[in-house]
Amino acid sequence: MRSNKRYSNQTITKRIDHEAGRHRGERAMPEPAVCEVCGNTYADRRWSRPGKAVESAKHPHFRPPHQVVCPACEAERSGIASGYVHLEGHFLTEHLDEVRHLLNNETARAAEDNPLCRIIGIDEVAGGGMTVKTTTEHLAKRLGEALESAFHGKVSYDFSHENKLAHVWWSR
Ligand SMILES: [Zn+2]
Protein backbone atom coordinates (compact mmCIF):
# COMPACT_ATOMS: atom_id res chain seq x y z
CA MET A 1 0.00 0.00 0.00
CA ARG A 2 2.66 2.43 1.13
CA SER A 3 4.97 1.74 -1.81
CA ASN A 4 2.02 2.15 -4.15
CA LYS A 5 1.38 5.58 -2.76
CA ARG A 6 4.99 6.61 -3.10
CA TYR A 7 5.07 5.39 -6.66
CA SER A 8 2.05 7.47 -7.62
CA ASN A 9 3.53 10.55 -5.96
CA GLN A 10 6.66 10.19 -8.03
CA THR A 11 4.59 9.78 -11.14
CA ILE A 12 2.76 13.01 -10.44
CA THR A 13 6.00 14.87 -9.75
CA LYS A 14 7.46 13.63 -13.01
CA ARG A 15 4.41 14.66 -14.98
CA ILE A 16 4.42 18.17 -13.47
CA ASP A 17 8.13 18.58 -14.26
CA HIS A 18 7.48 17.51 -17.79
CA GLU A 19 4.70 20.03 -18.22
CA ALA A 20 6.77 22.75 -16.61
CA GLY A 21 9.40 22.07 -19.23
CA ARG A 22 6.87 22.35 -22.02
CA HIS A 23 5.47 25.46 -20.38
CA ARG A 24 8.74 27.25 -21.17
CA GLY A 25 8.46 26.12 -24.75
CA GLU A 26 11.26 23.62 -24.48
CA ARG A 27 11.56 20.35 -26.25
CA ALA A 28 13.98 17.77 -24.89
CA MET A 29 17.28 19.62 -24.82
CA PRO A 30 20.69 17.94 -24.57
CA GLU A 31 22.89 19.06 -21.67
CA PRO A 32 25.01 21.02 -21.32
CA ALA A 33 24.05 23.18 -24.28
CA VAL A 34 24.84 26.62 -25.61
CA CYS A 35 22.66 28.69 -27.95
CA GLU A 36 24.58 29.27 -31.15
CA VAL A 37 22.67 32.54 -31.70
CA CYS A 38 22.80 34.40 -28.36
CA GLY A 39 25.15 32.29 -26.21
CA ASN A 40 22.57 31.43 -23.54
CA THR A 41 23.62 28.25 -21.76
CA TYR A 42 21.50 25.29 -20.66
CA ALA A 43 22.37 22.99 -17.76
CA ASP A 44 20.46 21.28 -14.95
CA ARG A 45 17.28 21.89 -16.95
CA ARG A 46 17.50 25.66 -16.80
CA TRP A 47 18.69 28.44 -19.05
CA SER A 48 21.31 30.95 -17.96
CA ARG A 49 22.76 34.00 -19.58
CA PRO A 50 25.98 33.78 -21.62
CA GLY A 51 29.11 33.26 -19.57
CA LYS A 52 27.86 30.43 -17.37
CA ALA A 53 29.53 27.84 -19.59
CA VAL A 54 32.88 29.43 -18.81
CA GLU A 55 32.20 29.09 -15.08
CA SER A 56 31.14 25.48 -15.61
CA ALA A 57 34.43 24.84 -17.39
CA LYS A 58 36.08 24.88 -13.96
CA HIS A 59 33.71 22.18 -12.85
CA PRO A 60 35.28 18.70 -12.82
CA HIS A 61 32.33 17.23 -14.74
CA PHE A 62 32.39 19.85 -17.47
CA ARG A 63 31.69 18.55 -20.96
CA PRO A 64 31.77 20.60 -24.16
CA PRO A 65 28.27 21.99 -24.75
CA HIS A 66 25.94 20.95 -27.54
CA GLN A 67 25.19 23.64 -30.10
CA VAL A 68 21.46 24.40 -30.01
CA VAL A 69 19.05 27.27 -30.59
CA CYS A 70 17.41 28.43 -27.35
CA PRO A 71 13.61 28.87 -27.18
CA ALA A 72 13.93 32.68 -27.16
CA CYS A 73 16.04 32.75 -30.33
CA GLU A 74 13.70 30.22 -31.89
CA ALA A 75 10.73 32.50 -31.12
CA GLU A 76 12.63 35.41 -32.66
CA ARG A 77 13.31 33.42 -35.81
CA SER A 78 9.76 32.17 -36.18
CA GLY A 79 8.09 35.35 -34.94
CA ILE A 80 5.80 33.24 -32.76
CA ALA A 81 5.16 35.14 -29.53
CA SER A 82 3.83 33.85 -26.20
CA GLY A 83 2.81 37.30 -24.97
CA TYR A 84 1.30 40.39 -26.52
CA VAL A 85 1.11 43.82 -24.92
CA HIS A 86 -1.30 46.13 -26.70
CA LEU A 87 -0.72 49.83 -25.98
CA GLU A 88 -2.84 52.77 -26.98
CA GLY A 89 -3.94 56.24 -25.98
CA HIS A 90 -2.95 59.90 -26.15
CA PHE A 91 -0.41 59.61 -23.35
CA LEU A 92 1.34 56.84 -25.29
CA THR A 93 1.65 58.85 -28.52
CA GLU A 94 2.94 61.87 -26.57
CA HIS A 95 5.45 59.89 -24.48
CA LEU A 96 6.54 57.23 -26.93
CA ASP A 97 10.25 57.41 -26.04
CA GLU A 98 9.60 57.15 -22.30
CA VAL A 99 7.29 54.19 -22.78
CA ARG A 100 9.74 52.37 -25.04
CA HIS A 101 12.52 53.08 -22.54
CA LEU A 102 10.47 51.55 -19.73
CA LEU A 103 9.64 48.47 -21.82
CA ASN A 104 13.29 47.87 -22.68
CA ASN A 105 14.47 48.45 -19.10
CA GLU A 106 11.88 46.11 -17.63
CA THR A 107 12.72 43.44 -20.21
CA ALA A 108 16.42 43.69 -19.38
CA ARG A 109 15.60 43.31 -15.69
CA ALA A 110 13.36 40.30 -16.37
CA ALA A 111 16.14 38.72 -18.44
CA GLU A 112 18.40 38.75 -15.37
CA ASP A 113 16.05 36.21 -13.78
CA ASN A 114 15.13 34.37 -16.97
CA PRO A 115 17.32 34.83 -20.06
CA LEU A 116 14.47 33.58 -22.23
CA CYS A 117 12.52 36.82 -21.57
CA ARG A 118 12.79 38.95 -24.65
CA ILE A 119 10.85 41.38 -26.84
CA ILE A 120 10.78 39.87 -30.32
CA GLY A 121 9.03 42.70 -32.09
CA ILE A 122 7.02 45.88 -31.78
CA ASP A 123 4.27 46.42 -34.35
CA GLU A 124 2.91 49.89 -34.97
CA VAL A 125 -0.87 49.93 -34.94
CA ALA A 126 -2.95 52.38 -37.00
CA GLY A 127 -4.07 55.30 -34.86
CA GLY A 128 -0.84 55.56 -32.85
CA GLY A 129 -0.97 52.36 -30.82
CA MET A 130 1.53 49.54 -30.77
CA THR A 131 1.75 45.85 -30.00
CA VAL A 132 4.78 44.44 -28.20
CA LYS A 133 5.44 40.75 -28.81
CA THR A 134 7.29 38.82 -26.09
CA THR A 135 8.88 35.40 -25.85
CA THR A 136 7.11 34.53 -22.59
CA GLU A 137 3.63 35.18 -21.21
CA HIS A 138 5.27 36.15 -17.92
CA LEU A 139 7.15 39.02 -19.55
CA ALA A 140 3.94 40.39 -21.09
CA LYS A 141 2.33 40.39 -17.65
CA ARG A 142 5.39 42.01 -16.12
CA LEU A 143 5.42 44.76 -18.76
CA GLY A 144 1.74 45.48 -18.05
CA GLU A 145 2.49 45.83 -14.35
CA ALA A 146 5.49 48.06 -15.03
CA LEU A 147 3.45 50.33 -17.34
CA GLU A 148 0.73 50.68 -14.73
CA SER A 149 3.09 51.43 -11.86
CA ALA A 150 5.15 53.94 -13.88
CA PHE A 151 2.46 55.71 -15.89
CA HIS A 152 -0.86 54.59 -14.31
CA GLY A 153 -3.54 54.29 -16.98
CA LYS A 154 -5.79 51.27 -17.48
CA VAL A 155 -4.50 47.71 -17.73
CA SER A 156 -6.22 44.39 -18.26
CA TYR A 157 -4.96 40.85 -18.67
CA ASP A 158 -6.17 37.84 -20.57
CA PHE A 159 -4.39 34.53 -20.08
CA SER A 160 -5.15 31.48 -22.09
CA HIS A 161 -3.79 28.63 -19.98
CA GLU A 162 -4.44 26.07 -22.70
CA ASN A 163 -2.42 27.88 -25.32
CA LYS A 164 0.15 29.40 -22.98
CA LEU A 165 -0.63 32.80 -24.39
CA ALA A 166 -1.01 36.15 -22.64
CA HIS A 167 -2.64 39.30 -23.93
CA VAL A 168 -2.21 42.51 -21.97
CA TRP A 169 -3.97 45.76 -22.81
CA TRP A 170 -2.73 49.08 -21.48
CA SER A 171 -4.15 52.43 -22.36
CA ARG A 172 -3.67 55.97 -21.24
ZN1 LIG B 1 19.50 32.03 -27.93
Side-chain angles (χ1 to χ4, degrees), residues 40-150:
N40 276 344
T41 57
Y42 185 72
D44 299 328
R45 301 182 65 200
R46 60 168 290 154
W47 285 95
S48 304
R49 290 194 292 170
K52 290 284 182 187
V54 179
E55 288 167 30
S56 306
K58 294 171 192 155
H59 196 272
H61 301 299
F62 177 78
R63 286 168 288 144
H66 300 269
Q67 296 283 320
V68 297
V69 176
C70 78
C73 288
E74 209 164 77
E76 261 181 345
R77 279 183 177 178
S78 66
I80 298 172
S82 293
Y84 294 85
V85 187
H86 309 276
L87 302 90
E88 60 177 21
H90 289 296
F91 179 89
L92 170 68
T93 48
E94 286 159 17
H95 298 84
L96 210 51
D97 287 345
E98 285 168 66
V99 171
R100 279 178 180 266
H101 189 70
L102 177 94
L103 294 172
N104 289 331
N105 266 359
E106 194 61 29
T107 301
R109 231 179 293 165
E112 285 171 18
D113 301 330
N114 178 2
L116 301 183
C117 285
R118 211 173 284 176
I119 290 174
I120 59 173
I122 298 180
D123 297 336
E124 306 283 335
V125 178
M130 62 188 192
T131 299
V132 180
K133 296 192 282 184
T134 65
T135 51
T136 68
E137 59 272 34
H138 174 256
L139 178 59
K141 179 173 173 281
R142 186 163 166 163
L143 292 178
E145 288 164 353
L147 286 164
E148 189 182 25
S149 86

Side-chain angles (χ1 to χ4, degrees), residues 157-172:
Y157 303 89
D158 178 33
F159 301 103
S160 157
H161 294 290
E162 299 268 318
N163 301 326
K164 305 296 177 200
L165 197 62
H167 282 276
V168 177
W169 285 269
W170 176 79
S171 66
R172 186 184 161 190

